[in-house]
Amino acid sequence: MTTIALIIIAVALFELIIFIHEGGHFIAAKKSGVQVNEFALGMGPKIFSFTKGETTYSLRLFPIGGFCAMEGEDEESDNPRSFNNAKIWKRMIIIVAGAFMNIMLGLVLMLITLLPQENFASTTVSQFSVSSFSAVSGLQPGDKIVKINDYDVNTSTDFSFALFTLPVSTVDGSELSIYKEDCSFDLYARATELVDKNTTDEQNTALVKSIQTAQAKLAKAESKQEAYAIFSDYYNILADDVGKPHADTIPKIEEKETRQRYRTDMTVERDGDKVELKDVDLLTLKKSAEDDTPQLQIDFYIEPIEKTFGTVIEQTFASTVSVVRMVWGSLIGLLKGQFSLNDMSGPVGIASAITEVAGESLRTSGFGSAVSSIVYIMMVITINLGVVNMLPFPALDGGRFLMLLIEWIFRKPVPRKVESVINAVGLVLLLGLSAVIAVKDVWKLISGG
């Protein structure tokens, strides 16, 4: 029953997104004096409908969309209140109103997801984990990350997206930075070997402090010999921390010809100045013992932002802007080949993702967390719809806006037949793409891929 409830909530929120989008067109049309013939929620056969004034309001069978049908929108009309007879600035407002309302809904949903949080994530490094690689490759506590791989970072959402889109690199395994990373990681492994059921909290604290001190020294090491000397000293200092004997021999650091690393350039604010950091390595792990696919793991902690009325409002607007940038960056990445068709999802894939995320949240944190996860995904979807729908592509609102822009510049509308053909071609292409994505989503669902 709980799963069914989550599915119903997801469908209801999805239809809310469509309702808000089409409602934007509807309100703008009504306020502009344009006649609206039908306002529909859903697609396909009508379940029920009623007429009030000049407009029919209908609920249709399939909850996968909706429409606001205006007089003279897609055909010639002599009606003085038809869309094509309205002033051009009014038509422009009507066209962009849907996307505008999607962004506004995104703001509201973002606020809903932020309100339950005790605090918010910043982009400032607080401290490093004891197995940190980035601690020995340039980053320091107190650094405020403002750019990752040429992507501006203003919020934790920017931070996550920038890291998510990082390509994995195959690097020279004999580099000094790799050697220092391995020294740091092997000290961590040494510490875990020394810990047992008799280790006290004070001894654990001493181990962490020693590793962090070693990391700070390794970061400044200018040669492998210097790094190994630091490693050797702290290999036995760790034993002293827990009152155990020194090792008979200090192990060598294994070097390989190549290594896979998530490596990036960063710009940070440090002591009031901007500092460029080159080749910052982040912790790269295998997906599993059987799968060597590299996985990125953040190996440092981020300072929290205190929750106040001001920070709630600030984070709501800033994070919404970040999601808009994320959607736009994903579209650019798609054009550049950074993402493929396999990374795209339609309604089937979205529903599957929502169910998976909500189910995991339900198992780990309860029903409230599952609902919060659904709301967050819907926030991303509504902003995605607002941004994508304004792309200057035929059959999208952005394509229609482009036609109006051409009309405004040349003081003459694009011939209706030409516009109809362009929109028809665009619609066929969009439907074809949607069909391909739907087949792909269904296949992934069936095959478990």
Side-chain angles (χ1 to χ4, degrees):
M1 288 299 295
T2 303
T3 301
I4 294 174
L6 289 173
I7 293 173
I8 292 173
I9 290 171
V11 171
L13 284 172
F14 183 75
E15 281 305 301
L16 174 63
I17 292 171
I18 301 300
F19 176 79
I20 292 294
H21 179 89
E22 297 302 334
H25 294 312
F26 176 82
I27 293 171
K30 288 287 188 180
K31 292 295 184 181
S32 300
V34 172
Q35 179 177 316
V36 179
N37 295 328
E38 183 178 356
F39 181 83
L41 191 59
M43 303 294 282
K46 292 180 183 179
I47 298 176
F48 73 87
S49 64
F50 66 92
T51 300
K52 184 176 180 181
E54 63 191 12
T55 305
T56 298
Y57 301 86
S58 62
L59 180 65
R60 294 177 177 258
L61 181 61
F62 304 114
I64 55 174
F67 59 87
C68 174
M70 292 173 283
E71 176 72 19
E73 181 182 7
D74 296 311
E75 72 286 327
E76 293 291 347
S77 174
D78 295 329
N79 188 326
R81 294 183 55 238
S82 67
F83 178 80
N84 61 303
N85 287 327
K87 292 182 179 180
I88 189 167
W89 64 268
K90 289 185 176 182
R91 283 180 279 158
M92 286 181 168
I93 290 175
I94 293 170
I95 290 298
V96 301
F100 174 79
M101 290 300 290
N102 279 130
I103 302 300
M104 291 300 100
L105 176 61
L107 274 169
V108 173
L109 295 180
M110 179 67 79
L111 177 62
I112 292 173
T113 63
L114 292 177
L115 281 176
Q117 299 182 23
E118 295 181 1
N119 50 52
F120 311 119
S122 70
T123 62
T124 300
V125 178
S126 173
Q127 58 180 323
F128 295 94
S129 67
V130 291
S131 59
S132 177
F133 282 1
S134 52
V136 295
S137 59
L139 276 178
Q140 295 180 13
D143 284 349
K144 180 181 180 181
I145 300 171
V146 296
K147 186 173 288 189
I148 297 177
N149 207 25
D150 291 329
Y151 191 84
D152 290 332
V153 174
N154 301 308
T155 68
S156 58
T157 302
D158 294 331
F159 176 72
S160 299
F161 180 71
L163 293 181
F164 171 75
T165 54
L166 279 181
V168 66
S169 303
T170 300
V171 302
D172 183 356
S174 64
E175 290 180 3
L176 174 59
S177 61
I178 298 294
Y179 190 87
K180 292 194 291 184
E181 289 172 7
D182 289 344
C183 287
S184 176
F185 191 79
D186 285 2
L187 284 176
Y188 169 71
R190 167 68 166 163
T192 59
E193 293 172 358
L194 292 169
V195 172
D196 56 33
K197 62 181 181 180
N198 297 319
T199 306
T200 66
D201 290 341
E202 290 78 9
Q203 289 173 331
N204 280 324
T205 301
L207 284 172
V208 171
K209 185 175 181 180
S210 292
I211 292 177
Q212 290 175 335
T213 303
Q215 287 173 341
K217 292 182 178 181
L218 285 167
K220 298 177 181 178
E222 297 182 354
S223 67
K224 293 181 181 179
Q225 291 76 15
E226 184 180 352
Y228 186 73
I230 296 168
F231 168 77
S232 300
D233 288 343
Y234 278 87
Y235 199 84
N236 284 324
I237 288 174
L238 295 176
D240 293 336
D241 288 336
V242 294
K244 292 187 176 180
H246 289 187
D248 293 332
T249 58
I250 305 297
K252 298 295 182 183
I253 302 299
E254 181 184 1
E255 295 188 61
K256 297 180 180 180
E257 289 186 7
T258 60
R259 293 286 186 89
Q260 285 194 308
R261 283 286 183 271
Y262 281 99
R263 172 175 288 183
T264 181
D265 295 337
M266 288 188 182
T267 302
V268 301
E269 288 184 2
R270 180 182 297 168
D271 299 326
D273 297 322
K274 285 192 175 181
V275 179
E276 303 288 338
L277 303 178
K278 297 293 184 181
D279 297 334
V280 176
D281 283 324
L282 302 171
L283 181 57
T284 306
L285 301 174
K286 295 192 297 184
K287 188 173 184 179
S288 67
E290 298 78 23
D291 189 346
D292 288 334
T293 303
Q295 301 290 301
L296 173 63
Q297 181 171 311
I298 306 305
D299 57 3
F300 52 86
Y301 300 95
I302 294 295
E303 288 184 2
I305 298 173
E306 182 183 1
K307 182 181 177 181
T308 65
F309 177 80
T311 57
V312 168
I313 300 302
E314 179 185 1
Q315 287 295 309
T316 296
F317 280 91
S319 297
T320 302
V321 171
S322 292
V323 174
V324 172
R325 292 184 62 224
M326 180 178 71
V327 172
W328 186 248
S330 298
L331 291 171
I332 293 175
L334 189 63
L335 293 176
K336 289 182 176 180
Q338 188 176 359
F339 305 116
S340 66
L341 184 64
N342 197 50
D343 297 310
M344 301 176 67
S345 290
V348 175
I350 291 171
S352 176
I354 291 172
T355 303
E356 182 178 346
V357 172
E360 181 63 26
S361 297
L362 185 64
R363 285 190 295 272
T364 58
S365 305
F367 186 78
S369 177
V371 173
S372 180
S373 297
I374 291 174
V375 171
Y376 184 84
I377 294 174
M378 290 303 174
M379 177 272 297
V380 175
I381 291 173
T382 186
I383 293 176
N384 185 84
L385 178 60
V387 173
V388 172
N389 208 43
M390 285 309 298
L391 293 177
F393 189 84
L396 294 178
D397 287 343
R400 292 178 180 272
F401 188 83
L402 179 62
M403 295 293 180
L404 293 176
L405 195 61
I406 292 173
E407 179 181 342
W408 177 71
I409 293 172
F410 293 100
R411 307 296 180 183
K412 184 179 181 181
V414 175
R416 177 68 71 174
K417 288 185 178 180
V418 174
E419 183 178 355
S420 297
V421 170
I422 292 174
N423 284 332
V425 172
L427 183 60
V428 170
L429 291 175
L430 287 176
L431 291 175
L433 178 62
S434 299
V436 171
I437 293 174
V439 170
K440 183 265 299 180
D441 286 342
V442 170
W443 173 251
K444 287 179 68 175
L445 199 61
I446 295 173
S447 64

